[in-house]
Amino acid sequence: MSSIPTPPAQPDDAPDSYVGLTAVEAERIARERGWTTVRALPPGAIITLEFLQGRLNFEVENDTVIRCWLG
């Protein structure tokens, strides 16, 4: 039986630091900091709850990040 691979480390980043930024600026900074997947969602969007290593989620209203979370 093969071993389970270790996922790559996520960037050491504070999700709250993106709140208040424009969606474009937040995505640019997130990619510069090493996030492989950046997802912008409207408030109340229906999403699945699976955790994806390396993904950063933004809740965006009127082109401003109002919430940010990992996975």
Side-chain angles (χ1 to χ4, degrees):
M1 180 180 273
S2 63
S3 63
I4 297 173
T6 303
Q10 290 189 146
D12 185 20
D13 201 4
D16 289 340
S17 68
Y18 295 94
V19 175
L21 298 176
T22 66
V24 171
E25 183 72 1
E27 182 173 353
R28 183 187 63 76
I29 292 169
R31 293 197 185 280
E32 286 176 358
R33 292 179 180 174
W35 292 100
T36 55
T37 304
V38 179
R39 179 167 67 169
L41 303 160
I46 297 172
I47 58 172
T48 60
L49 295 177
E50 84 281 357
F51 182 88
L52 180 61
Q53 186 80 14
R55 179 170 64 193
L56 192 63
N57 300 287
F58 297 132
E59 186 172 357
V60 179
E61 184 172 45
N62 298 324
D63 196 41
T64 301
V65 177
I66 60 171
R67 182 175 163 235
C68 181
W69 68 98
L70 306 177

